[in-house]
């Protein structure tokens, strides 16, 4: 499935914002363990860098990157700040 198809699915589903917070890796809100959510998780990097793991996939993220984690997808977790 292409990115525009995923975006169209999200748009048609009338998403609702459940949580919004600004925090860094030292915050107690940041879950560094393997976990999942029953909803799409978006992480937007306003500063700094991080490494994320999703199964065998490694993602490096930095300023202005957005990471989208699919709903109920187990295995997405932060590897820590770079």
């Amino acid at each position: 499935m292409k990115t525009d198809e995923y975006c169209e699915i999200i748009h048609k589903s009338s998403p609702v914002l459940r949580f919004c917070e600004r925090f860094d890796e030292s915050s107690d809100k940041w879950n560094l363990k393997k976990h999942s959510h029953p909803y799409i998780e978006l992480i937007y990097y306003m500063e700094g860098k991080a490494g994320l793991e999703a199964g065998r996939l490694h993602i490096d993220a930095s300023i202005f990157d957005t990471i989208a984690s699919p709903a109920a997808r187990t295995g997405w977790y932060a590897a820590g700040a770079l």
Side-chain angles (χ1 to χ4, degrees):
M1 190 177 288
K2 296 183 180 179
T3 302
D4 58 339
E5 292 173 295
Y6 282 117
C7 291
E8 185 65 21
I9 290 168
I10 293 168
H11 176 72
K12 287 181 177 179
S13 70
S14 301
V16 175
L17 182 63
R18 301 281 182 199
F19 176 80
C20 182
E21 182 80 33
R22 182 176 178 170
F23 51 89
D24 61 23
E25 73 279 354
S26 64
S27 171
D28 61 354
K29 291 181 172 86
W30 189 247
N31 186 350
L32 297 176
K33 297 177 183 168
K34 189 183 297 187
H35 67 283
S36 66
H37 298 283
Y39 43 79
I40 296 169
E41 179 180 23
L42 298 175
I43 302 171
Y44 177 73
Y45 288 86
M46 298 174 71
E47 58 187 53
K49 298 179 188 176
L52 296 114
E53 302 292 335
R56 288 185 259 151
L57 178 65
H58 178 84
I59 301 167
D60 289 320
S62 62
I63 190 167
F64 306 131
D65 285 341
T66 301
I67 305 295
S69 177
R73 180 80 176 263
T74 303
W76 289 75
Y77 63 97
L82 298 175

